[in-house]
Amino acid sequence: MSKIGRMRSSRFLASSIGVACAAVLALPAALPAAAATPAAPALDTTSTSEQSATSAQAAPAGAPAVDGAAASPSGHTQSLPLVPRATDRGLGPTAEQGLGRRDVRSFSLVGVVWDDPDTELYGRVQVRTRARGTTHWSGWQDVETHNHEHAADPDTAERASSRVRGSTAPLWVGESDGVEVRVRAEVSGRTAAPGVQVLPDGLRLELVDPGTGVPDAVSTQATAPAAGPVADPPPVGTPVDASRLGALTVESAAASAVNADLAPLGATVIPALSRTATEAGLADLEPGMKPYIGPRPRIVTRRGWGADEKLREPDFLYTKKVQAAFVHHTASGNNYSCAEAASVIRSIYRYHVVSSGWRDIGYNFLVDKCGNIYEGRAGGVAKAVMGAHTLGFNTNSMGIAVIGSFGTTKPPAAAVTGIAKLTAWKLGLYRANPQGKTDLISGGGNLYAKGKKVRLNVISGHRDGFATECPGGRLYGKLGTTRSEAARYQGR
């Protein structure tokens, strides 16, 4: 085995058990204990560990499942069962489900889930929401229904988990306290016989509040208003205020410790490095070889965007290397500011884990419209972390999601540049040429059978590995620019 292989095996593939042990040694002697919150059957509380410790309480049929506790730094999820609505008799009584206008607890992101992750929702999902504290209702907004291709590979433990549900893409709607939803089946040729099931079982509306991203112990402290204009900040990131973060928990220490070579324990940001410093680090690993690698970009850590580390599974999953980067869009809409990006990410994280039943957020990295880069799935930004982003091709790859929807909307230049900078650095760690090709083995999907060797661009769009609209036509059209820019950053 080469020196670089031995170094990566020891440095980049550390077990979460060892990381957790090391992290515990760096913690204060006493850690704040998590308080258990009583839960109704459909209630999702602020962490999955708290859910397992609570007792179920009955709730009225059809009533919103609402966390009765005070607003939490971790946020909360309201899960509302959908009910049949007036339908076309030719499609049967299950052709349309939904909920009429209603008052609910504050939320900012919506999605629809159902029982069987292998069942697709063939139809149209629309929501309208009321801005918090007002009487203003939005128009009907479409929710992207085809989302199953963003998932763990077939036959993996994450995919086989009994917690996993089918789900739409999430939609960011901003702070709201009222909602209405309709789900309408669309059957090709309208040939379904009366009474035939045309919508998945167990449809539920998920209303996600991102919380503050601030620990309970310090969540009541005041925050000084930010200086400068109200407009979106330049691409320097908007992590959670470090002065309000409080003591590290064991889980957050473990998530931070895997980046210990890059930033101090508990850091909210991994700082950018110069080209010289980045190249020197790679040259130390591979003496005598020209270091084709881009300068390490600034990355907001999970602690920086306020991840509740108790929501995810405790261990980290790794693959052998990073041969390719798949570019995605979150399909969550473009109606957010860069100052809200951390809240959007916390909402997507909670939707992936609590609502969809995944082990962690699916993407390895996220990029906002200002070009800020965020750590996604836990395990270490320099490591080959196994994600759940491109069904069939999560092995030996990474997933980068631009926050927004880019089917008809042009992606901001700053976001495209952010992808190029990130891929130039991360692919450079694994000697991958952004303008090159690579061979991946399909784990199974609708384009390539399981076990088939597929030749792909090192920087590919999601649609290159799976028949999907992702990352949207306008963003996909920018991948050529991304490849050339990333290669230039690598010095090629």
Side-chain angles (χ1 to χ4, degrees):
M1 181 183 292
S2 66
K3 182 176 180 180
I4 183 67
R6 291 193 300 271
M7 293 291 285
R8 283 178 179 149
S9 293
S10 60
R11 291 181 63 189
F12 291 169
L13 300 181
S15 72
S16 60
I17 297 174
V19 167
C21 292
V24 169
L25 295 176
L27 291 172
L31 292 170
T37 304
L43 170 64
D44 293 317
T45 57
T46 57
S47 76
T48 52
S49 59
E50 289 171 357
Q51 289 178 39
S52 63
T54 59
S55 58
Q57 295 180 350
V66 181
D67 184 354
S72 164
S74 173
H76 60 261
T77 302
Q78 301 169 74
S79 186
L80 288 65
L82 303 191
V83 297
R85 304 187 72 177
T87 64
D88 183 330
R89 291 182 180 179
L91 293 179
T94 59
E96 184 170 339
Q97 296 185 36
L99 293 171
R101 288 190 183 189
R102 62 187 56 211
D103 298 336
V104 292
R105 278 187 69 188
S106 179
F107 67 96
S108 296
L109 179 140
V110 304
V112 171
V113 301
W114 53 93
D115 294 341
D116 185 357
D118 294 322
T119 298
E120 290 193 58
L121 194 165
Y122 293 104
R124 189 175 189 183
V125 176
Q126 293 182 302
V127 298
R128 57 188 310 196
T129 57
R130 184 183 62 206
R132 182 179 180 184
T134 74
T135 59
H136 175 71
W137 284 83
S138 72
W140 287 105
Q141 301 181 74
D142 285 302
V143 179
E144 174 58 57
T145 58
H146 299 296
N147 190 53
H148 71 286
E149 63 268 24
H150 299 83
D153 287 347
D155 302 324
T156 60
E158 180 173 5
R159 178 68 177 178
S161 170
S162 61
R163 295 182 57 246
V164 176
R165 299 179 184 177
S167 61
T168 67
L171 177 68
W172 176 262
V173 294
E175 286 192 89
S176 306
D177 58 13
V179 70
E180 183 177 6
V181 60
R182 60 191 184 194
V183 180
R184 173 73 174 171
E186 293 180 355
V187 180
S188 179
R190 301 172 64 85
T191 58
V196 171
Q197 181 86 14
V198 291
L199 288 175
D201 288 326
L203 287 170
R204 305 184 72 87
L205 176 66
E206 303 289 294
L207 306 176
V208 181
D209 174 78
T212 61
V214 181
D216 291 324
V218 291
S219 61
T220 57
Q221 295 180 10
T223 304
V230 178
D232 285 346
V236 294
T238 53
V240 176
D241 185 354
S243 66
R244 303 174 66 196
L245 285 172
L248 286 170
T249 63
V250 172
E251 294 84 3
S252 59
S256 181
V258 286
N259 292 317
D261 288 348
L262 311 179
L265 188 69
T268 59
V269 167
I270 295 170
L273 278 186
S274 67
R275 175 182 296 278
T276 300
T278 305
E279 289 181 347
L282 188 60
D284 288 343
L285 292 177
E286 297 182 323
M289 298 185 68
K290 179 173 175 56
Y292 287 109
I293 188 169
R296 187 179 76 202
R298 181 181 184 274
I299 302 172
V300 178
T301 65
R302 290 172 63 91
R303 187 164 172 80
W305 53 260
D308 177 3
E309 300 295 353
K310 291 184 178 181
L311 287 180
R312 63 171 174 82
E313 294 291 327
D315 55 328
F316 309 134
L317 294 183
Y318 297 100
T319 185
K320 292 181 179 179
K321 53 189 172 180
V322 179
Q323 294 176 234
F326 285 98
V327 176
H328 305 256
H329 66 171
T330 59
S332 53
N334 303 310
N335 189 27
Y336 74 96
S337 68
C338 293
E340 293 177 307
S343 295
V344 177
I345 296 170
R346 287 196 303 276
S347 297
I348 294 173
Y349 170 47
R350 175 170 269 276
Y351 183 72
H352 282 182
V353 176
V354 176
S355 300
S356 304
W358 299 0
R359 63 178 294 110
D360 195 349
I361 192 170
Y363 309 113
N364 296 102
F365 296 93
L366 298 98
V367 179
D368 70 21
K369 62 175 63 175
C370 288
N372 302 305
I373 300 168
Y374 302 83
E375 177 182 16
R377 180 164 288 209
V381 298
K383 301 181 168 113
V385 178
M386 175 77 82
H389 49 84
T390 305
L391 184 67
F393 290 100
N394 291 306
T395 297
N396 295 338
S397 72
M398 66 174 178
I400 303 167
V402 180
I403 303 172
S405 301
F406 302 104
T408 58
T409 301
K410 180 180 177 181
V416 176
T417 299
I419 300 170
K421 289 180 175 180
L422 174 58
T423 52
W425 170 70
K426 182 65 180 278
L427 292 172
L429 290 175
Y430 295 87
R431 288 294 182 188
N433 182 346
Q435 291 185 303
K437 302 273 190 179
T438 191
D439 293 325
L440 295 177
I441 305 300
S442 173
N446 64 2
L447 279 182
Y448 303 104
K450 183 176 181 179
K452 182 177 177 60
K453 180 186 289 188
V454 183
R455 191 140 184 91
L456 294 166
N457 288 312
V458 168
I459 298 179
S460 285
H462 186 182
R463 62 175 64 178
D464 294 320
F466 197 97
T468 173
E469 290 298 313
C470 185
R474 299 298 296 274
L475 179 54
Y476 187 78
K478 292 293 184 180
L479 294 189
T481 300
T482 301
R483 295 181 190 108
S484 59
E485 285 191 9
R488 179 173 59 83
Y489 286 128
Q490 284 192 347
R492 297 182 185 270

